Amino acid sequence: MNVPLLDLVAQHQGIKDAVLPAVMSVIERQGFIMGPEVGQLEVQVARLSGAKHGIACASGTDALLIPLRALGLKPGDEVIAPAFTFFATAGAIHNAGGRPVFADIEPGTFNVDPAAVEAAITPRTRAIVLVHIFGQMADVGALAALANKHGLMLIEDAAQAIGARRKVDGQWRAAGELGTVGSFSFFPTKNLGAWGDGGMMVAQDDTLADRLRRERLHGGAREYYHDEVGLNSRLDSIQAAVLLAKFPYLAAWGARRRDIAALYTAAFAGIAGVTPPPVDPANEHIFHQYTIRAERREALLAHLKSRGIGHKVYYPLALHLQPCFEYLGVRAGALPITERATAEVVSLPIYPELTSAQTDAVIAAVREFYQG
Ligand SMILES: *Cc1c(COP(=O)(O)O)cnc(C)c1O
């Protein structure tokens, strides 16, 4: 049986009656830039994130770049981030003029280790970027306390974690709520995906939110008057209309992803050679990815391919070992937990439209590989 890693066509079949009229209304109105849909989406995402402000922008990458640019980084200023993440996390630091400083992760959740972040703080540190990797939140309580103590901006890269929650001091906190800025991506494959690129920043602080809004639109609060040089990074009204139409489904989609994850984890618990992804009991995971550690990974990948089971290695090369970051002088072996993860992880199909025949096929293929 063929099980694609992700099936957006199946998703579209189920919701197109809701999405197409919303898009057609933008087209009929010919209101493509900063239409009312953008503001409505900003309100919805801010509410979901427990944040006061939502500021839409052109991509998840820009949702990281814009707050980093607002810091006005000077040459040599450092920003701490994990190296086990999508490239954009560190690319944005570099493009904002900062020097990425990589911190190792926790072996269980794959999230950045607050103790490693603390050890990486120097007098040049200006910000911390945490990543809620694969849809499970990092220890944002500990990292917010650290950022606070040292006067640093804390950016939550929540590109993979829209709607995820974590109990902090006994209270549910949403992804994007406790950071100085929370950054979301609406790349089509994310849990809430547009029909193209899109992103959103959320923030609590009024002054900062104004600054981010200016930075998104050429650095001017008033048209044709510019306080600083900003970017052109808007979210199209068509994309906002798509996202608004999909938004009501997001909670049920997350619950279905959790159900599938529980099914996989129960099945894999009995298979020697596979370590299912542990969920921190403080977290409500949204399973953007279901990522196992696998013994004899390369052989498993070939087996999954032969059985038609979609799979991908997120991420095969840690960011401190990328050629473009050679100038940082971080050697192999510097981040042992990150490097080990890149050698062991495999992500398997997880999306709400998977049928039980398909999840059975995924489990059967993994079982067959390890147990014959
Ligand atoms: C997808 C992603 C981004 C970038 O989002 P784009 O919308 O593709 O620019 C940033 N960080 C992480 C962790 C991501 O997964």
Side-chain angles (χ1 to χ4, degrees):
M1 171 179 287
N2 212 45
V3 187
L5 183 64
L6 180 63
D7 188 350
L8 288 174
V9 173
Q11 182 196 77
H12 181 62
Q13 291 308 319
I15 61 168
K16 67 177 169 193
D17 290 346
V19 183
L20 286 172
V23 171
M24 280 315 292
S25 111
V26 177
I27 291 171
E28 293 299 335
R29 219 180 55 237
Q30 294 286 295
F32 299 114
I33 303 293
M34 296 307 242
E37 295 84 2
V38 176
Q40 288 161 20
L41 183 72
E42 289 175 338
V43 169
Q44 295 280 335
V45 174
R47 190 178 296 151
L48 178 68
S49 313
K52 189 167 173 198
H53 302 278
I55 303 114
C57 60
S59 70
T61 301
D62 279 2
L64 295 165
L65 178 64
I66 290 170
L68 286 164
R69 278 174 56 100
L71 270 175
L73 296 170
K74 305 266 183 308
D77 281 355
E78 297 171 355
V79 178
I80 301 170
F84 188 70
T85 173
F86 179 59
F87 181 75
T89 310
I93 296 169
H94 174 99
N95 283 333
R99 184 179 175 86
V101 173
F102 294 111
D104 215 345
I105 56 171
E106 302 169 343
T109 62
F110 304 113
N111 272 317
V112 73
D113 181 350
V117 171
E118 183 162 30
I121 294 174
T122 75
R124 299 303 308 267
T125 307
R126 300 289 311 281
I128 299 166
V129 183
L130 64 80
V131 180
H132 301 309
I133 199 78
F134 303 146
Q136 167 160 231
M137 284 178 70
D139 188 349
V140 65
L143 291 163
L146 257 186
N148 223 7
K149 180 173 152 198
H150 294 271
L152 308 173
M153 179 184 267
L154 178 66
I155 299 176
E156 293 179 59
D157 181 342
Q160 303 182 1
I162 189 165
R165 300 192 300 169
R166 178 178 174 87
K167 274 231 165 103
V168 179
D169 298 329
Q171 230 186 312
W172 282 113
R173 301 293 195 165
E177 182 171 351
L178 294 181
T180 319
V181 178
S183 305
F184 296 96
S185 165
F186 304 122
F187 188 80
T189 62
K190 301 289 158 88
N191 285 33
L192 181 63
W195 286 1
D197 279 308
M200 176 86 67
M201 300 166 277
V202 298
Q204 307 288 7
D205 184 80
D206 298 345
T207 311
L208 175 63
D210 285 343
R211 180 77 206 272
L212 299 174
R213 264 185 211 106
R214 286 201 304 273
E215 188 70 32
R216 153 185 85 172
L217 216 60
H218 294 300
R222 256 198 313 156
E223 202 174 21
Y224 309 125
Y225 294 83
H226 303 271
D227 311 302
E228 59 243 64
V229 180
L231 302 176
N232 173 13
S233 181
R234 294 173 293 228
L235 180 72
D236 288 339
S237 305
I238 284 186
Q239 301 302 346
V242 169
L243 293 162
L244 274 175
K246 286 190 176 190
F247 195 87
Y249 299 94
L250 187 62
W253 285 343
R256 171 82 181 125
R257 284 170 181 266
R258 276 191 291 282
D259 287 349
I260 296 167
L263 198 76
Y264 283 161
T265 292
F268 297 153
I271 301 177
V274 179
T275 308
V279 181
D280 182 328
N283 274 331
E284 187 172 82
H285 200 322
I286 61 158
F287 284 101
H288 173 62
Q289 297 296 341
Y290 183 90
T291 304
I292 61 171
R293 286 181 191 264
E295 286 177 16
R296 295 187 286 129
R297 183 185 67 185
E298 301 314 309
L300 173 66
L301 299 181
H303 176 78
L304 292 173
K305 189 164 181 219
S306 76
R307 294 295 182 271
I309 305 297
H311 57 273
K312 200 145 176 176
V313 173
Y314 300 111
Y315 296 91
L317 183 62
L319 297 189
H320 65 295
L321 302 178
Q322 299 286 345
C324 65
F325 289 134
E326 230 173 72
Y327 74 91
L328 296 172
V330 187
R331 299 275 160 259
L335 301 174
I337 304 170
T338 293
E339 290 166 37
R340 184 164 171 198
T342 59
E344 295 182 347
V345 291
V346 188
S347 296
L348 297 171
I350 188 157
Y351 43 97
E353 298 78 19
L354 279 172
T355 64
S356 59
Q358 287 177 312
T359 54
D360 286 351
V362 173
I363 292 166
V366 173
R367 183 173 289 139
E368 184 190 10
F369 177 74
Y370 287 105
Q371 299 183 337

